Amino acid sequence: MHDVRTVRAPSMLRLAAASLVGTAIEFYDFFVYGTAAALVLGPLFFPTFSPLAGTLAAFATFGVGFVARPLGSVLFGHIGDRRGRRPVLVASLLLTGAATVAVGCVPTYDTLGAAAPALLLVLRFLQGLGLGGEWGGAVLLTAEHAPAERRGLWSSFPQMGPSLGFVLANGVMLVLSAALSDAQFADWGWRVPFWASGVLAAAGLWLRGSLPESPRFLEVRDHSRAPIVEVARDHWRLVLLTAGGLAVGYAVFYAVTTWALAYGVERLGVSRTVMLACIMAAVVVKGSLTPVVALLGDRYGRRPLCLAGCTAAALWMFPMIALLSTGEPLLMFLGFLVALLAFITMFAVIAAYLPELYEPRVRCTGAAVGYNLGGVLGGALTPIVATAVAEGERVPWGVAAYLTGVALLSLGCFALLPETRPVPRLAVSAVTD
């Protein structure tokens, strides 16, 4: 029988790289919608609304993707726990890529009327459905191949995917924003990043076609017939605690990358190009430090880093809002950077932590549902709540208070979770599997 501890580093590197690339493509699809929602979707698809209401409506369609993600976790988690992790990677990437290309083809309100935002809503739902399955498949395929003592490091490769996808999505938006006039960008320029997803998805499918199945999945003799039923019955407390713990990471990330982008452009009068550059620079630093933090998780444990990240987020939200409100690029970058470093202190180790909390027979469903429910709590609501709370001319301290409250909630949830870092090699199977 195949043993995860026999997997050699070169094989692990190829597998982790394929997971990273695929995850980056899926998150590119997800993020390019968020950036478009912050910049152009409101006027194009909700022109009868006021500017504030249009932005809120665009963010509401953005939030639908998060609502769909737990449903995707259930659907693809069932496949992953019953049929294997590998089929999930192919099916989720195909669904998300097709939906993203279709978004770029939807006519605006001026052409289709109310049918235009309705189509946008459906396609955003399909994006979220695909992404809900992506994380569980990519992370588990890597984590379940990795040697226990370096599981955190290898599992962090898929966790770098969101950073790479974000930089790619916003890099394309930045180039188009700088090269095109406002009229050209609103007319057709914003569609180009969505069409590009088709090429990226094809490349990702080619890369993932030859990946081996997870050895842990192959070792399971009694596969769960109804994984979501078993998770809801036996692991509901674990799902709720992990979702609550992860909420702050999503809240901080989307406050920086989506809400702050819209706030800086619309309320502070900072140029779209400057805001995108500040946020992208902070995300690049965050992404590059992900494996370093993951190594710390292998050495000191998953839970301590999650507690540290929550604490840092709770302490930094008011300074971040103060720095954002200056409208000065370097100060805004500093505010974003520290917030995202707090975020990655948690999320660099989550790809190892969540799978270790669940038994292999329901691991794909349990880990993915907890992860994506955290997205609903933190990611779907944050741009909407922050935009509503920030109404007015004053510094939006209400946003800082909201984010601090989410951080404290997550801190309490992580405090109630156990440590899972494997100890002596001989004990790994007994402790984690």
Side-chain angles (χ1 to χ4, degrees):
M1 186 174 294
H2 192 86
D3 189 331
V4 292
R5 290 171 292 189
T6 64
V7 179
R8 296 182 178 179
S11 299
M12 277 306 310
L13 186 59
R14 285 195 296 272
L15 190 147
S19 294
L20 164 62
V21 170
T23 305
I25 293 168
E26 292 235 24
F27 274 92
Y28 165 88
D29 294 346
F30 204 72
F31 289 144
V32 80
Y33 189 101
T35 304
L39 296 178
V40 296
L41 295 188
L44 292 177
F45 287 88
F46 304 96
T48 60
F49 291 19
S50 68
L52 175 61
T55 300
L56 283 170
F59 280 151
T61 63
F62 174 74
V64 165
F66 285 98
V67 175
R69 283 172 64 168
L71 299 177
S73 300
V74 174
L75 172 63
F76 289 103
H78 182 89
I79 297 171
D81 285 324
R82 293 281 296 156
R83 304 297 179 188
R85 323 307 194 199
R86 187 173 172 272
V88 172
L89 297 184
V90 175
S92 61
L93 183 58
L94 188 61
L95 175 60
T96 308
T100 304
V101 172
V103 169
C105 299
V106 175
T108 62
Y109 186 93
D110 288 343
T111 302
L112 282 187
L119 278 174
L120 209 60
L121 203 66
V122 170
L123 293 172
R124 181 58 175 173
F125 181 87
L126 294 176
Q127 268 193 328
L129 205 67
L131 191 61
E134 161 66 24
W135 187 86
V139 163
L140 289 188
L141 199 63
T142 307
E144 291 182 336
H145 274 92
E149 65 274 12
R150 284 290 178 262
R151 188 175 294 144
L153 173 62
W154 290 115
S155 300
S156 72
F157 275 69
Q159 290 300 84
M160 288 187 279
S163 297
L164 183 57
F166 179 85
V167 170
L168 186 60
N170 284 271
V172 173
M173 283 289 192
L174 184 60
V175 170
L176 291 168
S177 178
L180 303 175
S181 67
D182 288 346
Q184 290 173 321
F185 186 79
D187 184 31
W188 57 268
W190 68 273
R191 298 181 183 274
V192 174
F194 291 93
W195 295 335
S197 174
V199 178
L200 296 175
L205 289 170
W206 177 78
L207 274 174
R208 289 183 164 183
S210 60
L211 292 180
E213 185 52 80
S214 159
R216 283 298 187 204
F217 173 80
L218 297 175
E219 289 172 359
V220 175
R221 296 300 184 187
D222 181 24
H223 295 287
S224 176
R225 292 181 179 274
I228 187 59
V229 174
E230 194 169 328
V231 168
R233 183 188 66 224
D234 301 332
H235 304 288
W236 61 270
R237 181 177 181 272
L238 187 55
V239 169
L240 292 179
L241 286 176
T242 53
L246 295 172
V248 65
Y250 283 102
V252 168
F253 188 85
Y254 287 100
V256 169
T257 60
T258 302
W259 169 75
L261 175 60
Y263 182 82
V265 172
E266 296 173 7
R267 300 289 296 283
L268 300 179
V270 181
S271 78
R272 187 167 56 217
T273 303
V274 170
M275 287 301 302
L276 285 170
C278 289
I279 295 169
M280 283 176 59
V283 171
V284 167
V285 176
K286 183 266 292 185
S288 64
L289 291 177
T290 300
V292 177
V293 179
L295 278 172
L296 294 176
D298 279 330
R299 181 167 184 178
Y300 299 109
R302 328 301 192 201
R303 183 172 172 269
L305 267 70
C306 290
L307 294 173
C310 290
T311 303
L315 294 173
W316 187 249
M317 293 302 96
F318 278 90
M320 184 192 79
I321 293 300
L323 293 171
L324 168 64
S325 298
T326 66
E328 294 293 329
L330 287 178
L331 294 179
M332 290 191 297
F333 165 73
L334 176 62
F336 298 153
L337 177 61
V338 176
L340 291 181
L341 291 180
F343 159 83
I344 205 57
T345 302
M346 296 171 274
F347 272 57
V349 299
I350 284 300
Y353 195 16
L354 262 62
E356 289 169 346
L357 287 167
Y358 292 88
E359 57 183 312
R361 57 184 275 114
V362 296
R363 183 174 283 163
C364 195
T365 300
V369 169
Y371 184 84
N372 288 296
L373 277 178
V376 176
L377 295 175
L381 296 177
T382 294
I384 299 171
V385 172
T387 300
V389 169
E391 186 177 4
E393 300 300 323
R394 297 180 180 179
V395 176
W397 297 123
V399 177
Y402 167 74
L403 294 173
T404 302
V406 176
L408 294 175
L409 168 67
S410 295
L411 182 65
C413 290
F414 278 124
L416 295 173
L417 287 170
E419 178 55 76
T420 62
R421 177 173 60 99
V423 281
R425 187 182 279 260
L426 292 176
V428 170
S429 295
V431 172
T432 63
D433 295 327

